[in-house]
Amino acid sequence: MKNKLAGYKALLWILAIPVLNVFYGILNHGNGNVSSLWTSWDDRIPFVPIFIIPYLLWYPFVLMMLVALFMKKASAYYRTLIALCLGLLVSYATFYFFQTMITRPDASGTGVFLWLVRLVYGTDGAYNCFPSIHVLTSYLMLKGMSECRDQFSRASRFFIQLLSWSVTISTVFVKQHVLLDIIGGIVVAEITFFAAGKWLSKLRKDMLRWSPFWRWLQTWEQRVFNWCNQSISHPVLSRVLAAMTHMGGALFTLTCSLSISLLAPEPWRTAGIQSFAALAVSHLAAVLMKKLIRRPRPYLALPDTNLILKPLKDHSFPSGHTTAVFSIVVPFLFTLPALAIILLPLAAGVGLSRVYLGVHYPSDCLAGGLIGISCALLAVSLI
């Protein structure tokens, strides 16, 4: 039973969607410059409350389609999910730099459809319109299905296409979007799906093309690893770094970012929120890369490794601890740059500890630091 469930772990990456949607709520406001893309063509589209049904069906539709793609063809699932996450990031960046809104009609009256429309209007602001995320994700489900078209029956393909396009047109009939939002969603979906496919294809080819170089680089990295893990080994240093490494653990990083975001005054509260958002996004990025690259831990590949901690079950690249600690410290440097004297050496120490303790290669920690910093910069720019 346990082995069967292990085969479905990749479905947990779907949780990246609600985590990324944290930014949707943060950006869903009218502060600053707000534009409208309403055209005369939108005047001709009536308000039809019954279309709230396919609009709401979007939520289970996307979830079920991702699960179906995973079951049919794993590569189609990963490509679609990566494209979806990229599309969300592109959309959030667009919302930040080019916020748009829509003027909604009066939805008062009786009837279940109007009640559902009012529910949507009450929980979702009239902003974050261009591009339409409903359209972006629904269209990506069609693109994902095209990757394994032969594995779906004709009836299934018809139903998926019908539901996808029903969701798309519902966005304008319930006045959540305008026509240009639909076009924007489709364009972003095409671009991100193409980019995800190219990236995955290039990743496979590069792993073959650069094999001699990687072997040479691996030799040098093993020398650095052996120096950190064995040559400088000392009982006192082992105790210090074994304690320091927990600063990159889930308990410490979550406690720090959440407590500061909830309890600290401004501007530290904002920095805490930025840290928490960066931590969540960077964690998902790191775990996804672990699943894709599947690099064995050093103590599994190098027999002479001095393993000080208990063996870990997940893969090595990138270092999750290093990713986490850099993701939470960088936002605070924007609040008080002088903290860099303290925080950056501590973060680097966590990375060093992972190599010293025998659970990561140096490149694992370098990659983790870059991921953490990148996600932190993204969080700071959006929040």
Side-chain angles (χ1 to χ4, degrees), residues 51-273:
F51 272 95
I52 196 64
I53 300 301
Y55 186 85
L56 293 174
L57 285 176
W58 168 77
Y59 298 93
F61 169 62
V62 171
L63 175 60
M64 289 188 294
M65 274 301 300
L66 288 172
V67 173
L69 291 173
F70 175 78
M71 301 295 291
K72 301 291 185 181
K73 188 177 181 180
S75 61
Y77 164 75
Y78 282 114
R79 182 177 181 181
T80 304
L81 185 58
I82 291 172
L84 195 156
C85 292
L86 287 175
L88 290 179
L89 293 175
V90 171
S91 299
Y92 299 151
T94 305
F95 300 158
Y96 180 78
F97 292 106
F98 182 67
Q99 181 63 281
T100 57
M101 67 169 293
I102 187 169
T103 302
R104 291 166 168 172
D106 179 17
S108 60
T110 60
V112 64
F113 300 132
L114 284 172
W115 179 81
L116 289 173
V117 171
R118 290 195 297 271
L119 179 64
V120 171
Y121 286 1
T123 55
D124 186 16
Y127 305 95
N128 291 356
C129 295
F130 179 87
S132 167
I133 290 179
H134 266 63
V135 175
L136 162 70
T137 50
S138 297
Y139 190 82
L140 281 174
M141 297 308 107
L142 295 180
K143 299 294 290 184
M145 184 183 68
S146 69
E147 290 286 289
C148 48
R149 182 181 179 86
D150 294 339
Q151 299 188 41
F152 287 91
S153 67
R154 180 177 298 181
S156 297
R157 294 197 302 267
F158 173 79
F159 177 76
I160 292 168
Q161 291 171 346
L162 176 64
L163 189 50
S164 177
W165 289 113
S166 296
V167 171
T168 297
I169 64 174
S170 74
T171 61
V172 291
F173 280 115
V174 296
K175 299 303 176 181
Q176 280 288 85
H177 289 281
V178 297
L179 290 172
L180 288 176
D181 299 338
I182 291 179
I183 296 173
I186 293 174
V187 170
V188 172
E190 286 283 1
I191 293 172
T192 56
F193 194 77
F194 176 81
K198 284 291 185 182
W199 181 75
L200 289 173
S201 176
K202 187 175 185 299
L203 182 63
R204 298 188 192 99
K205 292 178 180 178
D206 285 351
M207 291 178 69
L208 295 174
R209 184 185 310 165
W210 292 87
S211 292
F213 171 75
W214 291 125
R215 284 194 293 270
W216 173 83
L217 190 63
Q218 186 179 35
T219 300
W220 278 97
E221 183 179 39
Q222 288 178 5
R223 292 178 182 176
V224 175
F225 172 82
N226 290 334
W227 180 81
C228 292
N229 180 248
Q230 298 172 21
S231 298
I232 65 172
S233 180
H234 189 277
V236 175
L237 187 59
S238 296
R239 287 194 291 270
V240 171
L241 292 182
M244 180 181 288
T245 199
H246 294 297
M247 293 178 61
L251 178 62
F252 183 86
T253 53
L254 282 171
T255 301
C256 285
S257 58
L258 280 176
S259 60
I260 294 174
S261 63
L262 294 174
L263 303 175
E266 293 291 354
W268 301 105
R269 179 177 178 274
T270 298
I273 295 173

Side-chain angles (χ1 to χ4, degrees), residues 225 229 298-299 305-308 353-360:
F225 172 82
N229 180 248
Y299 52 81
T305 297
N306 180 23
L307 180 61
I308 299 174
S353 73
R354 305 307 287 171
V355 181
Y356 180 90
L357 298 172
V359 292
H360 280 292

Side-chain angles (χ1 to χ4, degrees), residues 221 225 245 295 297-298 316-326 347-357 359-373:
E221 183 179 39
F225 172 82
T245 199
R295 187 183 196 183
R297 295 277 181 174
S316 186
F317 184 92
S319 165
H321 279 63
T322 311
T323 300
V325 71
F326 274 96
V350 171
L352 174 64
S353 73
R354 305 307 287 171
V355 181
Y356 180 90
L357 298 172
V359 292
H360 280 292
Y361 294 100
S363 60
D364 300 339
C365 300
L366 177 61
L370 292 175
I371 294 171
I373 292 171

